[in-house]
Amino acid sequence: MSPPWRTGTASSVSAPNTRPHIRSFVLRQGRVSNAQRRAVETLLPTFGIAYAPALLDLDAAFGRPAPKILEIGFGMGETTAQIALAHPHNDYLGIEVHTPGVGSLLRLIEAHALANVRIIQHDAVEVLNHMIAPGSLSATHVFFPDPWPKKRHHKRRLIQPSLVHTLASRLRPGGYLHLATDWEDYALQMLEVLSAEARLDNTAQGFAARPAYRPLTKFETRGLKLGHRVWDIVFRRRAGDFEG
């Protein structure tokens, strides 16, 4: 029997490209601490959602109707936890492939008694294509994705036209897509790709000021003290666009 939050099969969502995609991540072994491992073993069954090629009923997965915000690549989870703690009226679905980060966020969920966070440990492109229904998200956050700085690796960057097209379709009309990076050439690429998506409108003239809901990370604070920049990009799905 399927869990109550499964609502359909993969055929219920049309993927923009069914060919194997170039992954934007490399699964490294990495060191998983004992505390992170214990969190994955004991907490992931409660706060995790297993990948399956079937649509999610997001309200059932969180146990309530509320705005749903997706975060792709939450790293060690500090930002996700801070935002979820500050906005208990929203539900946050985080996607991350690396076990240390999953374990770290699970520990933060437990420490702060966060009932509004769920985790999928899987490739975000496959999750978007097969599990997230069109028009079901109030927002998507993609903060500091791997910049793949070498030019020959740019094809591995997460933010590509096909993914942005899918992200736009999963947003409800008026929902927003918020990207942030500390690599200028990636920021310019992001801005170009989002500007070319017909369903999205920029909320600023070019780059946006950092919204108050996105906290500064320790890494970002150190970089700003050294004179480094961070670029925020915030686009909204057009309010009159009701097509999935």
Side-chain angles (χ1 to χ4, degrees), residues 191 202-208:
L191 185 60
N202 199 344
T203 64
Q205 296 296 320
F207 298 106

Side-chain angles (χ1 to χ4, degrees), residues 77-87 92 105 108 112 114 213-218:
E78 298 98 334
T79 297
T80 308
Q82 288 183 57
I83 295 176
L85 185 63
H87 300 86
Y92 295 87
L105 179 54
L108 292 169
H112 296 290
L114 295 173
Y213 61 78
R214 184 178 76 76
L216 288 172
T217 65
K218 294 177 182 178

Side-chain angles (χ1 to χ4, degrees), residues 112-141:
H112 296 290
L114 295 173
N116 60 334
V117 180
R118 299 290 183 272
I119 295 171
I120 299 179
Q121 188 173 4
H122 196 75
D123 176 11
V125 174
E126 293 182 354
V127 172
L128 282 165
N129 283 343
H130 302 301
M131 298 183 73
I132 307 300
S136 61
L137 300 174
S138 293
T140 297
H141 298 163

Side-chain angles (χ1 to χ4, degrees), residues 106-199:
L106 286 167
R107 295 187 68 207
L108 292 169
I109 290 172
E110 182 178 49
H112 296 290
L114 295 173
N116 60 334
V117 180
R118 299 290 183 272
I119 295 171
I120 299 179
Q121 188 173 4
H122 196 75
D123 176 11
V125 174
E126 293 182 354
V127 172
L128 282 165
N129 283 343
H130 302 301
M131 298 183 73
I132 307 300
S136 61
L137 300 174
S138 293
T140 297
H141 298 163
V142 187
F143 298 152
F144 305 101
D146 192 327
W148 291 100
K150 294 181 180 179
K151 189 171 183 179
R152 69 176 184 272
H153 291 156
H154 284 186
K155 62 186 178 183
R156 290 190 174 275
R157 286 177 168 176
L158 178 67
I159 303 304
Q160 305 287 349
S162 60
L163 179 76
V164 169
H165 183 76
T166 302
L167 287 172
S169 74
R170 273 40 176 180
L171 291 173
R172 61 169 179 77
Y176 70 85
L177 171 58
H178 180 184
L179 313 179
T181 183
D182 56 349
W183 286 79
E184 183 175 12
D185 71 312
Y186 199 6
L188 293 169
Q189 177 190 328
M190 290 175 170
L191 185 60
E192 179 181 1
V193 171
L194 268 65
S195 297
E197 172 50 53
R199 296 175 177 176

